[in-house]
Structures are given as C-alpha cells and as structure tokens.
Amino acid sequence: DVKVTQSSRYLVKRTGEKVFLECVQDMDHENMFWYRQDPGLGLRLIYFSYDVKMKEKGDIPEGYSVSREKKERFSLILESASTNQTSMYLCASSPHPGLAGVGEQYFGPGTRLTVT
Amino acid sequence: AQSVTQLDSQVPVFEEAPVELRCNYSSSVSVYLFWYVQYPNQGLQLLLKYLSGSTLVKGINGFEAEFNKSQTSFHLRKPSVHISDTAEYFCAVRLSGYSTLTFGKGTMLLVSP
C-alpha cells in the first residue's frame, strides 16, 4: 500500500514564525502536491512538484514556498506565518500519468495548523 | 480551464436509504474522474475512478458512479447507506496529459439512525 506521511497532525505557531511542513511518500512517485483545505472551499492546490528540485505554482501559492531535494520528500514552507494561514494542510503523491496508473493521488493524514 | 461542481454541500439521509451525490464537470477535452472520501480528521481516500470503457464504475464500500459524457456528470450512488458512511465526499477531475486534479468543494453525507 502507498503510504504518505506528514510530520505533524497538529501544529500551533505564532504569527511571523517560519513553519515547515514535511511530507514523505514511500512509493517512488514522481509527483507530489500540497493542498490546503478550508470549510466550504474544498481542496486548493498550493504547489506541486513533478521531479526532484522541480516545482510549479498551484492556485494559491502566495505566502508559501516548497522544497524537494529528494524524490520521496516534499516540504511546504510558510516564510512568515499569518493567521489567515490557519488551515488543514494535505500532502499527496501520484505516479506520473501514463507510466503507471492514471495518476490518482494518494493522501497523507493532514496537518491541522493553527497560527495565533 | 476545467471546473467541478458538487451541487449539494450537505446530504442528510437515514440509515439503509439510498443516496446519490451529484458531480458535474466542465471540460472540452478528455478527462479522468475520481471520487474521494474523507472521514473525520483523516486524509482523503480514493473511492473509485473512471478511466475509460464502461460508464458504470464500482468502488469500495458498495459505492458506484456513472459517467455521463453528454451531461458531463459523474454522480456517486449507494443503494443502502450505513452510519459509517458519514463523511465528506469529493469529486475530482484530471485532464488527459496533466498531473493535477481539480476538486469540487465537497459534499457532507450525514447518515442518521
């Protein structure tokens, strides 16, 4: 079974702090994704990566950056956390469509981040 | 750009009743379609997917969905729900040739005894 793990289930940070959210997958997937989930808004894509050191902006990249130094690990960075970044953050991975399967995404359990 | 509309934000239903969760998408090119389920305080789990071929797709936990190209719909159904089906359900679409998914805003299924 594909396993996607996230470093924390719950996190509380102060405004202005630098925050790192870590995600690791064990299935050698090419693609990795970061979403935030807010009530009534569904999932919104922040960034994704299709290879090591490669990244693409999603729908809401402002205030975030990412890092992918190794294939299995994808980090989301909040350079200076703000209260409007309080949310559930979900990481996902998928094989590249066409190489294996049709690119369905596998999700981690999520990190609920509160910024006070 | 593609979009996904889940017409109901909440669907209350009694246990053992049938349910249908509606999903419509907009796209002018070939798509792959997915339904995910999210139980409280958990990540998303793949319920089923439509790739090609038969328009009726069966998934886990007794769910099925029907792809209707002319109506650009992919509605999720279950003939008899259980309390344990209480969760949020997300419809998602992926365009052929792309890696990203576009999600609907979710439908909360509330099953009561």
Side-chain angles (χ1 to χ4, degrees):
Chain A
D1 274 356
V2 176
K3 190 151 188 182
V4 180
T5 57
Q6 296 184 229
S7 51
S8 305
R9 292 300 304 274
Y10 301 92
L11 209 52
V12 180
K13 295 292 181 181
R14 292 195 179 275
T15 301
E17 277 193 81
K18 191 169 186 176
V19 181
F20 293 87
L21 303 182
E22 305 283 340
C23 175
V24 177
Q25 51 97 1
D26 66 357
M27 279 302 291
D28 201 36
H29 284 166
E30 290 77 17
N31 300 323
M32 296 189 75
F33 308 83
W34 275 107
Y35 296 90
R36 65 177 281 174
Q37 182 181 15
D38 300 288
L41 298 178
L43 276 74
R44 293 180 292 168
L45 182 64
I46 304 172
Y47 269 97
F48 70 99
S49 168
Y50 53 90
D51 202 350
V52 175
K53 297 191 186 297
M54 306 303 289
K55 61 185 179 184
E56 291 283 345
K57 292 181 180 179
D59 300 317
I60 52 163
E62 297 78 20
Y64 303 95
S65 62
V66 291
S67 172
R68 194 166 180 201
E69 297 296 320
K70 293 185 177 182
K71 191 175 185 179
E72 67 271 18
R73 188 179 298 269
F74 192 35
S75 303
L76 180 70
I77 303 154
L78 287 66
E79 295 288 344
S80 178
S82 64
T83 55
N84 63 12
Q85 292 179 310
T86 291
S87 187
M88 169 72 93
Y89 290 87
L90 292 166
C91 175
S93 72
S94 77
H96 187 71
L99 295 179
V102 288
E104 64 262 38
Q105 293 181 15
Y106 298 85
F107 284 81
T111 295
R112 189 167 294 281
L113 173 67
T114 302
V115 183
T116 62
Chain B
Q2 72 276 18
S3 65
V4 179
T5 303
Q6 291 184 244
L7 296 161
D8 305 297
S9 59
Q10 273 194 10
V11 173
V13 65
F14 290 109
E15 194 174 18
E16 297 183 8
V19 71
E20 178 180 83
L21 305 183
R22 296 179 292 170
C23 173
N24 286 88
Y25 68 94
S26 65
S27 174
S28 57
V29 299
S30 296
V31 297
Y32 297 104
L33 295 157
F34 306 84
W35 274 100
Y36 284 85
V37 59
Q38 185 180 34
Y39 298 105
N41 297 315
Q42 294 186 26
L44 275 68
Q45 179 183 356
L46 183 66
L47 206 51
L48 50 79
K49 59 191 176 188
Y50 172 76
L51 318 175
S52 62
S54 173
T55 57
L56 186 62
V57 180
K58 293 192 183 298
I60 61 172
N61 301 339
F63 283 93
E64 62 182 31
E66 186 157 19
F67 171 60
N68 188 319
K69 188 174 181 179
S70 62
Q71 297 188 6
T72 60
S73 68
F74 190 54
H75 300 333
L76 182 70
R77 301 186 183 105
K78 187 170 183 177
S80 175
V81 295
H82 303 289
I83 296 284
S84 59
D85 292 323
T86 294
E88 191 154 24
Y89 293 79
F90 292 93
C91 182
V93 62
R94 183 176 73 76
L95 295 183
S96 178
Y98 289 81
S99 295
T100 57
L101 295 180
T102 299
F103 286 85
K105 294 186 177 180
T107 297
M108 188 69 204
L109 177 63
L110 300 166
V111 183
S112 54

